[in-house]
Amino acid sequence: MHPTLVDIGLNLAHDSFDHDRDHVVATAAAVGVRHMVITGSTLDSTRAAIELARAAPDRFRATAGIHPHHAHEFHEADLPALRELLRAPEVGAAGECGLDYFRNFSPHEDQERAFRQQLELAAEVGKPVFLHQRDAHDAFMAILREYRARLPAGVAHCFTGDERELRDYLALDLSIGITGWICDERRGHHLRDLVRLIPAERLMIETDAPYLLPRDLTPKPQSRRNEPKYLPHILATVAACRGEAPETVAAATTRNALRFFGFEK
């Protein structure tokens, strides 16, 4: 019997799943991934995520937001539409929102404006935030600190940072999402030590599928597409690094995610 798991970050509306989405969900459920949070990163992808979640609300939640890559496409006139999407009962969090100074697909001023707007909306509707940050830690923290007291909760999605970043997030009472990055011996090795510092009640796990396929899967999949069925592999790696039984980590991360994203309502 597989432990019940929650994949808190999955781009299930991505077109790479268009031909076999139901099969992807079924194969994940067969290995225990019974709940999934479908990421919204634009208004259109948020609408698609909500539509998927609406079809199986016992299994899915959606997030509603504008990824920093798309901040330049998000304008003041779009705020009412995003507010309405955030209020949908299928939406468990606002985001994916934050700052990304690594890719810089949107100018910094647009990223910061869109981030503030989404934090304001999250505070207004009373939803937690699903956060993205890359190479922008100080600016990200400065903005988040302004709003944190008004937000019910937040999770640092796909955490890949260093110890200073982790401790700053924990000091703001954020949860931490760990992906298959921890399985990457080139870029993610540092996470194997840092994951021990995350309190059990703040830890969650995710695939970020179809991205971030764990590099150490054996045998190597023929496809480079990541899927939620690989979440148990991430769980096993996290548990080994923490020196805990996989069942213990599964129970904690599932409990945290179900509460955070409103599955228990």
Side-chain angles (χ1 to χ4, degrees):
M1 184 69 178
H2 300 285
T4 295
L5 300 178
V6 185
D7 187 344
I8 70 153
L10 163 66
N11 301 282
L12 192 61
H14 193 273
D15 57 13
S16 67
F17 294 120
D18 283 351
H19 67 289
D20 65 346
R21 191 170 283 111
D22 289 345
H23 178 72
V24 166
V25 172
T27 55
V31 295
V33 187
R34 296 185 179 88
H35 304 284
M36 304 174 193
V37 181
I38 307 168
T39 307
S41 55
T42 63
L43 289 177
D44 284 345
S45 69
T46 292
R47 292 185 183 104
I50 291 173
E51 187 176 336
L52 288 169
R54 195 164 282 156
D58 56 331
R59 173 167 290 177
F60 299 131
R61 286 292 181 273
T63 72
I66 309 298
H67 191 288
H69 289 348
H70 301 285
H72 67 286
E73 306 163 8
F74 184 68
H75 307 291
E76 195 81 23
D78 297 318
L79 282 169
L82 183 56
R83 179 184 286 110
E84 183 179 356
L85 292 170
L86 270 171
R87 287 182 169 145
E90 297 84 8
V91 170
E96 180 176 355
C97 61
L99 302 176
D100 192 312
Y101 293 176
F102 178 73
R103 296 287 188 191
N104 283 318
F105 289 154
S106 288
H108 291 187
E109 56 268 27
D110 284 340
Q111 293 191 42
E112 292 171 15
R113 170 188 52 79
F115 187 28
R116 288 179 183 277
Q117 288 170 326
Q118 291 178 85
L119 292 174
E120 186 66 43
L121 285 179
E124 177 187 321
V125 303
K127 297 268 173 96
V129 285
F130 189 70
L131 298 162
H132 173 103
Q133 184 279 121
R134 194 167 184 195
D135 285 9
H137 180 70
D138 291 338
F140 175 85
M141 288 296 297
I143 293 171
L144 188 56
R145 283 190 182 108
E146 293 179 32
Y147 293 88
R148 180 64 187 93
R150 298 169 52 207
L151 298 167
V155 58
H157 154 63
C158 188
F159 177 76
T160 60
D162 59 21
E163 183 173 345
R164 178 178 79 98
E165 293 180 32
L166 177 60
R167 292 192 182 279
D168 282 351
Y169 293 166
L170 294 176
L172 277 189
D173 199 27
L174 297 184
S175 296
I176 310 295
I178 298 294
T179 64
W181 196 279
I182 197 172
C183 305
D184 188 329
E185 79 287 353
R186 307 162 306 162
R187 302 182 296 175
H189 195 74
H190 66 292
L191 292 179
R192 293 173 174 265
D193 292 326
L194 292 184
V195 76
R196 301 173 194 161
L197 304 178
I198 303 171
E201 66 275 12
R202 307 272 195 90
L203 179 63
M204 294 190 242
I205 54 175
E206 50 182 325
T207 59
D208 202 31
Y211 313 111
L212 299 185
L213 181 74
R215 272 179 55 85
D216 59 351
L217 288 170
T218 53
K220 281 201 178 300
Q222 289 185 326
S223 169
R224 294 296 302 161
R225 184 184 71 172
N226 196 9
E227 295 186 28
K229 70 180 180 182
Y230 298 128
L231 192 65
H233 179 81
I234 297 169
L235 167 75
T237 302
V238 169
C241 293
R242 288 172 64 87
E244 296 174 351
E247 296 78 11
T248 300
V249 178
T253 57
T254 297
R255 183 170 57 247
N256 297 340
L258 292 177
R259 183 186 310 120
F260 185 98
F261 289 99
F263 282 98
E264 297 175 340
K265 292 178 183 175

